[in-house]
Amino acid sequence: MEWTDAQAAKQASKGNQQAFRVLVERHSRAVFRLAFRMTGNEQDAEDVVQETFLRVFKQLHTFDQRAAFGTWLYRISANCALDLLRARKARNEQQTPRGDEAALHWLDHVAARDPSPERVTRSRQIAGMLEPALNRLSEVERTAFVLRHYEGFDIAQIAEALGVGAGAAKHSVFRAVQKLRRALQPAWEVGAG
Amino acid sequence: MIHLEEEQLVHAYYGESDSLFKQHIEQCPDCRAAYQRLKEILDSVTGYPVPERNQAYGAEVWARLTPHLPLARPPAVWQRWWVLGPAFAALLAIAFWAGVLTEHRQAGISVTARQRVLLLAISDHLERSQILLTELSHANAEHADFSFERTTARDLLTENRLLRESALRAGDIADAGLLDELERVFLNVANGPATLSANDLEQIQQRIESEGLLFKVRITRTDAREKGQKL
Ligand SMILES: [Zn+2]
């Protein structure tokens, strides 16, 4: 019998380790993707994955069985990533640049799908511009954007994850898009010219 | 006609605007073009590349996680006493730093070398701190004789103060701040009774929990080590 998330969460909160294991194995990859988009760095993302599940384990008793487990989990994960970004900022360290490998992989993927030269040129430009652009967002803006754009959170869920009001959440998404747009715009201008 | 603001276009892209705005975008060529430009850019970031993790990844994460879960914790962690004693090398490093700096002496050793020693000592210290914090955050007041933890906290406290001072002198405010947070926890344990009440323990655990201390210790430890090794 396969446990649903809610069933597994309930069992796990009673101390059933196998149930917790089901949740970890089921959601690790999704948490990693979220963590990577938030931090832009594999090692940091791995740290966030581990910390997320440790926090989940400790907070399982607070999980409302009627809520969606995934949303609750991603909220905790986004908060871990936010903590990490803030800790990094406090240490005033430059982010380790993400591997070019992933960007190249993406390029191959795009090129294979649509090999028109302009498209490839533009993709190459965006691949190089996106991570620096994301790094220039504030931690809150980056969180809001990743949750909205990649995880499909609605404004109310983002507000809850960030512990802010709906207006502030909405504004953070907008600010993030605005900044990204300005940073990426040149790829279109060069492509068109 | 009043055109849509950029913000309204963004919310329309995410399906969060009302039907009046959507209608406007459909009917107004200017706004439709503006919306298309925005859409192209936002669509283009959707493919943000994420390194692949295969099917076995969940099992790997589980394996990494289990030593940190209270249920599966190996009971032998306190038997690694050598990890917990104040590291002789770290103390030497601290004394060296403090000494060199208080006497304003150029000891013929480069700043880089001194920084490296300090970073590695901090990383070392944080590793031992992490073990104590982990143990405390999983501890249960019922069976508890905390005399060993208390001794460890006292040792770590001394080392912690010296390191914080060195970090401050080296201009490393962030590490000094973390050591400051650690000191408050160590103080609680070091000055507490050997038998902690459920209440005392809960207070300590809340402090560790609420400040995300373990996580910060883990990140900083890795950072300090990597940075130290690169110097
Ligand atoms: Zn218009």
Side-chain angles (χ1 to χ4, degrees):
Chain A
M1 185 197 70
E2 185 113 321
W3 270 322
T4 63
D5 282 347
Q7 287 167 335
K10 190 173 182 182
Q11 291 301 318
S13 71
K14 290 180 191 163
N16 181 332
Q17 204 175 338
Q18 281 314 308
F20 186 55
R21 181 178 188 158
V22 167
L23 293 171
V24 171
E25 297 199 348
R26 191 177 287 165
H27 292 283
S28 282
R29 292 169 84 190
V31 171
F32 175 78
R33 277 194 296 276
L34 168 64
F36 185 81
R37 284 173 179 140
M38 288 275 304
T39 60
N41 171 304
E42 265 187 277
Q43 186 50 54
D44 286 349
E46 293 290 2
D47 279 348
V48 169
V49 169
Q50 182 161 338
E51 178 67 11
T52 297
F53 285 113
L54 289 175
R55 286 189 196 179
V56 165
F57 186 80
K58 281 182 196 157
Q59 294 174 24
L60 265 173
H61 64 280
T62 69
F63 172 62
D64 177 356
Q65 306 288 330
R66 290 161 302 178
F69 180 76
T71 309
W72 184 72
L73 171 69
Y74 299 156
R75 194 179 77 203
I76 292 177
S77 182
N79 272 296
C80 288
L82 199 54
D83 287 349
L84 182 137
L85 291 174
R86 284 176 173 150
R88 277 285 141 77
K89 195 178 182 187
R91 288 176 60 73
N92 202 17
E93 278 199 0
Q94 280 291 89
Q95 288 262 2
T96 313
R98 56 194 277 104
D100 288 342
E101 219 171 290
L104 285 175
H105 178 76
W106 184 32
L107 270 183
D108 290 346
H109 181 68
V110 172
R113 251 192 344 204
D114 178 2
S116 76
E118 307 87 68
R119 185 83 189 239
V120 173
T121 309
R122 182 176 300 159
S123 300
R124 177 171 294 131
Q125 283 170 328
I126 295 164
M129 292 158 103
L130 184 56
E131 183 55 31
L134 284 167
N135 271 336
R136 277 196 296 271
L137 303 181
S138 75
E139 303 89 63
V140 168
E141 286 161 1
R142 185 166 184 158
T143 308
F145 179 74
V146 169
L147 290 178
R148 185 72 200 89
H149 194 85
Y150 296 103
E151 304 299 335
F153 273 43
D154 63 27
I155 291 296
Q157 290 169 324
I158 295 171
E160 202 189 336
L162 290 171
V164 299
K170 210 167 174 178
H171 192 67
S172 296
V173 172
F174 168 60
R175 288 284 296 157
V177 170
Q178 203 180 28
K179 287 184 184 175
L180 287 178
R181 188 180 183 178
R182 301 218 166 117
L184 298 176
Q185 191 74 47
W188 265 263
E189 281 153 13
V190 172
Chain B
M1 190 190 295
I2 299 168
H3 293 303
L4 297 187
E5 305 273 343
E6 189 181 8
E7 181 158 12
Q8 290 161 334
L9 294 174
V10 170
H11 297 313
Y13 176 84
Y14 289 119
E16 273 151 9
S17 57
D18 58 43
S19 51
L20 267 180
F21 290 157
K22 282 182 209 148
Q23 213 177 351
H24 181 100
I25 292 171
E26 277 164 28
Q27 289 168 358
C28 166
D30 287 355
C31 287
R32 199 164 58 238
Y35 179 77
Q36 270 309 320
R37 285 195 297 275
L38 172 73
K39 184 174 181 301
E40 270 188 36
I41 291 185
L42 281 174
D43 285 352
S44 79
V45 304
T46 302
Y48 183 46
V50 176
E52 264 308 307
R53 288 293 182 269
N54 61 27
Q55 291 293 339
Y57 181 64
E60 287 165 25
V61 172
W62 176 251
R64 265 187 284 149
L65 213 55
T66 41
H68 301 280
L69 296 176
L71 296 171
R73 188 162 35 94
V77 78
W78 286 110
Q79 288 163 21
R80 293 165 61 200
W81 56 269
W82 50 270
V83 181
L84 296 160
F88 187 57
L91 285 174
L92 262 185
I94 297 158
F96 166 68
W97 247 89
V100 165
L101 288 169
T102 41
E103 289 163 34
H104 295 283
R105 212 161 15 116
Q106 293 298 324
I109 294 170
S110 72
V111 174
T112 314
R114 274 182 279 150
Q115 230 150 20
R116 180 186 147 88
V117 168
L118 177 63
L119 283 169
L120 294 178
I122 286 179
S123 161
D124 220 39
H125 171 72
L126 291 179
E127 183 178 2
R128 286 192 302 283
S129 304
Q130 187 183 338
I131 293 172
L132 179 65
L133 293 184
T134 308
E135 192 66 17
L136 285 168
S137 65
H138 291 154
N140 185 331
E142 280 165 23
H143 74 108
D145 167 14
F146 284 89
S147 49
F148 191 70
E149 285 85 344
R150 195 170 58 166
T151 313
T152 310
R154 285 175 184 166
D155 289 343
L156 286 171
L157 191 59
T158 315
E159 192 175 296
N160 199 71
R161 283 177 172 152
L162 288 166
L163 274 173
R164 193 189 53 176
E165 198 176 322
S166 302
L168 273 177
R169 286 172 192 221
D172 187 350
I173 308 293
D175 282 338
L178 176 62
L179 293 169
D180 207 37
E181 284 179 44
L182 273 176
E183 179 168 330
R184 275 175 268 149
V185 176
F186 293 156
L187 267 174
N188 270 354
V189 183
N191 295 337
T195 325
L196 288 177
S197 71
N199 215 350
D200 293 336
L201 183 62
E202 202 187 317
Q203 236 175 358
I204 293 170
Q205 287 173 335
Q206 266 172 7
R207 171 155 270 164
I208 296 173
E209 185 82 11
S210 70
E211 291 171 3
L213 206 51
L214 257 171
F215 189 39
K216 281 188 235 170
V217 165
R218 205 145 50 80
I219 299 169
T220 310
R221 196 193 92 200
T222 320
D223 281 357
R225 195 186 52 228
E226 279 173 10
K227 217 171 144 190
Q229 282 166 349
K230 272 184 209 151
L231 284 178

